[in-house]
Amino acid sequence: MTVLDSSVSVYRFFEEISQVPRGSFHEEKISDYLEEFAKERNLQYHRDEMNNVIIYKEASSSYEDHEPLMLQGHMDMVCEKNKDCEHDFENDPLDLYIEEGNLKARGTTLGADDGCGVAIMLALLDDKDASHPPLECVFTVQEEVGLFGAAALDEKLLKSTRMIGLDCENEMEVTTSSSGGKRVAAVKEFQYEDNDSPVYHLIIKGLSGGHSGEMIDKDKGNAIQLNVKLMHMLIKNGIDVRIVKIDGGLKDNAIARECGCMFASESSIEEIETIIEKGFYAIKAQYRKQEPHFSIELNRCSANKAMNSSDSEAIINTVFLAPNGLIAKSKEIDGLTLISLNNGVIKTDDYKVEIIYSLRSPIKGALDELTDKIEMIASIYGLSIHVNSEYGGWQYDPHSQIRKQMKEFFNEKYGIDLIERATHGGLETGIFKAKIPSLDIVTYGPNMSGIHSPDEKLDIDSFKRVYDRLKDFIEVL
């Protein structure tokens, strides 16, 4: 049974793609869907080895001499779910429902980022009555894990010199620039030792999380940072701590909502509980407004192997000392975060602990300085550093013609004064601008919130309005 009104094309296509698994690195099925969509409509298309898909649509009647227009969105989604949710992102369809005018998914992320962009392009491609210039609809993969699909796309397949990006979250705004970024991992290799001491599992949960580009300046609790803070308190107070494993966060570009550290200790449970309780109330006081559901658990468990104290302290000290969160605000654009980093993941696997950071800034020197700081701290404690991706920013263009056209059109037709917004998030627009320097770019999208978390929701009325207005705007291009 459908949840949305299937007579509305963008609703129908969003609900269809919500039935198709499309987590990052697992886009084969959604690429198959797009390929079949193009074949059924006799539309020219190209699918590359990474599963990026471009679908071309010839100009409508009397638009043959108009310059082509590129529309772009990414098909992958962040796969986050609540701890008690059994959803299998590689096989299960999303369980959609409507609540107070918003579309949500039970227990999981919704994938409105950027399923909305995908559905908008599909609806335009499917509409036989729409008036438009030649369209180049670009569906990319692996955006959420490093913009890898856009980076690999062959720009020679595109003729457009103007672009509307559809990865945007406010119908009253147009995005005008984006941040560059880098992903840095600090890695500690270790050997387990035999253990016959009691073992405990300290779990941080109940945090709200969110997108590390958009929410990093909101002083949200990071579960990895808070767990390590408590572990540091234990060590500082003379408690024996030998890590068995530590795992938290799911994506480097999402603020970690949960983190668990399993550790062995000869110290008494009474001492451990006293210190953790004291730390809990201190954290609760600090985050009482922004994280009202923050909670901790300390459970007894068992393990016959553990790291030694030295390696355990090295991991805890590295995380504790390394910078995290908001670093600097822009002095030119009011409210814009200029420099940040997010400790999004910590994981134990194959005799190593990996601490993963997402660094963001349009200033390359700032990214390099943060990398140097992490590397310097890590080297003190015997960790190595790996940089696994780096991408450029999209600089503000004061002379953008398509942005000017869009703002004038929306003002004249709808009486709307679109707000220009620079974002601290990394966007594929920066990748495409580097590939096609002449590309004139603007981005637009419907109202949504809570992206990259199970609280994600999409304003369904806004979704339809955005599609209708974009369709009208494209008609005048």
Side-chain angles (χ1 to χ4, degrees):
M1 184 178 70
T2 59
V3 173
L4 296 167
D5 182 355
S6 60
S7 68
V8 178
S9 58
V10 286
Y11 292 170
R12 182 174 73 255
F13 285 115
F14 187 89
E15 193 151 8
E16 281 190 17
I17 65 173
S18 296
Q19 306 304 300
V20 184
R22 51 190 176 91
S24 303
F25 299 118
H26 298 282
E27 297 98 344
E28 297 88 354
K29 292 178 182 177
I30 188 66
S31 292
D32 289 344
Y33 169 94
L34 294 171
E35 184 173 358
E36 189 62 29
F37 172 95
K39 288 178 178 178
E40 289 175 355
R41 291 158 180 80
N42 294 315
L43 296 172
Q44 183 184 354
Y45 73 94
H46 177 85
R47 178 175 179 174
D48 67 19
E49 292 181 357
M50 286 193 69
N51 289 314
N52 292 306
V53 176
I54 304 173
I55 301 179
Y56 306 89
K57 188 178 183 184
E58 294 181 357
S60 57
S61 177
S62 77
Y63 283 75
E64 293 86 356
D65 61 345
H66 289 222
E67 290 293 318
L69 174 68
M70 173 181 168
L71 301 171
Q72 188 272 328
H74 62 88
M75 64 182 88
D76 62 318
M77 62 176 282
V78 167
C79 297
E80 283 256 17
K81 63 181 179 179
N82 290 325
K83 195 74 171 181
D84 59 353
C85 178
E86 297 182 356
H87 185 88
D88 179 356
F89 280 106
E90 293 188 26
N91 296 290
D92 297 342
L94 298 176
D95 187 4
L96 304 181
Y97 70 100
I98 296 173
E99 181 179 82
E100 298 178 349
N102 293 301
L103 185 66
K104 303 178 74 175
R106 287 185 177 85
T108 71
T109 38
L110 173 65
D113 171 23
D114 188 27
C116 288
V118 173
I120 287 169
M121 288 189 283
L122 292 174
L124 283 168
L125 290 166
D126 188 60
D127 191 336
K128 297 178 181 178
D129 298 321
S131 299
H132 56 79
L135 298 179
E136 299 178 328
C137 293
V138 180
F139 305 83
T140 50
V141 299
Q142 299 176 26
E143 188 271 351
E144 299 291 4
V145 290
L147 314 179
F148 298 134
L153 191 79
D154 183 0
E155 68 274 15
K156 297 182 183 67
L157 297 166
L158 301 169
K159 297 179 180 179
S160 299
T161 57
R162 50 187 183 164
M163 168 185 176
I164 301 177
L166 300 172
D167 190 3
C168 196
E169 296 110 38
N170 189 320
E171 67 170 300
M172 301 304 292
E173 297 177 345
V174 288
T175 306
T176 61
S177 63
S178 63
S179 185
K182 181 187 289 191
R183 284 166 175 78
V184 177
V187 178
K188 178 65 175 178
E189 296 183 352
F190 64 89
Q191 294 295 323
Y192 281 119
E193 297 180 346
D194 292 338
N195 171 64
D196 57 7
S197 303
V199 178
Y200 307 94
H201 195 193
L202 176 65
I203 303 170
I204 302 291
K205 61 181 183 178
L207 300 176
S208 54
H211 188 285
S212 66
E214 301 300 323
M215 306 298 288
I216 201 71
D217 63 337
K218 307 304 181 188
D219 195 28
K220 287 175 169 282
N222 180 309
I224 298 168
Q225 295 287 310
L226 297 183
N227 198 307
V228 164
K229 182 176 183 177
L230 292 174
M231 299 303 296
H232 172 74
M233 288 181 65
L234 291 175
I235 294 172
K236 181 180 177 181
N237 284 275
I239 299 298
D240 171 39
V241 170
R242 287 167 286 123
I243 295 174
V244 175
K245 66 176 181 177
I246 179 167
D247 295 288
L250 294 175
K251 304 289 181 182
D252 61 304
N253 58 0
I255 300 171
R257 299 168 59 245
E258 297 185 3
C259 181
C261 182
M262 188 181 297
F263 65 99
S265 180
E266 281 293 333
S267 301
S268 72
I269 183 61
E270 291 79 15
E271 289 180 291
I272 293 171
E273 287 179 334
T274 297
I275 294 166
I276 288 178
E277 183 177 19
K278 181 179 179 181
F280 168 75
Y281 284 112
I283 294 169
K284 191 77 171 174
Q286 180 180 352
Y287 291 97
R288 63 183 181 181
K289 182 175 181 180
Q290 60 271 50
E291 301 290 1
H293 304 297
F294 161 68
S295 66
I296 65 172
E297 290 181 6
L298 181 66
N299 302 316
R300 289 290 298 266
C301 54
S302 61
N304 57 16
K305 300 284 186 181
M307 303 177 200
N308 61 38
S309 297
S310 177
D311 287 344
S312 299
E313 290 185 25
I315 294 162
I316 291 166
N317 290 345
T318 298
V319 177
F320 186 76
L321 289 173
N324 186 75
L326 172 68
I327 304 298
K329 287 276 191 177
S330 172
K331 301 297 189 294
E332 298 177 323
I333 302 175
D334 187 43
L336 177 66
T337 298
L338 186 66
I339 308 168
S340 77
L341 78 165
N342 176 59
N343 181 191
V345 177
I346 188 167
K347 58 184 179 180
T348 307
D349 187 35
D350 292 333
Y351 300 98
K352 67 180 181 181
V353 171
E354 190 172 12
I355 308 159
I356 305 175
Y357 298 89
S358 175
L359 285 58
R360 296 179 187 269
S361 178
I363 305 168
K364 185 179 185 302
L367 297 174
D368 293 342
E369 181 179 334
L370 281 175
T371 304
D372 289 345
K373 287 183 177 181
I374 295 171
E375 184 171 14
M376 185 176 294
I377 293 166
S379 66
I380 293 171
Y381 296 104
L383 281 75
S384 58
I385 292 292
H386 305 281
V387 179
N388 55 24
S389 69
E390 188 169 1
Y391 56 93
W394 163 35
Q395 297 295 318
Y396 178 78
D397 179 4
H399 307 296
S400 170
Q401 183 63 26
I402 194 168
R403 186 177 70 245
K404 179 183 177 183
Q405 287 178 287
M406 191 173 191
K407 292 185 69 176
E408 289 177 350
F409 177 82
F410 273 59
N411 180 267
E412 293 171 4
K413 186 171 180 67
Y414 308 115
I416 294 173
D417 291 319
L418 290 172
I419 300 167
E420 295 186 11
R421 185 179 75 93
T423 178
H424 187 56
L427 298 178
E428 292 166 304
T429 46
I431 303 290
F432 286 106
K433 184 67 174 177
K435 288 175 176 287
I436 311 171
S438 61
L439 198 59
D440 190 8
I441 307 171
V442 71
T443 76
Y444 187 56
N447 296 336
M448 62 183 81
S449 63
I451 62 172
H452 293 193
S453 82
D455 297 324
E456 184 179 7
K457 59 184 178 181
L458 167 67
D459 182 331
I460 53 178
D461 289 338
S462 172
F463 188 22
K464 183 177 184 303
R465 285 194 300 269
V466 162
Y467 173 73
D468 291 339
R469 290 169 181 170
L470 275 172
K471 182 179 173 182
D472 288 344
F473 176 55
I474 290 170
E475 189 173 342
V476 303
L477 291 177

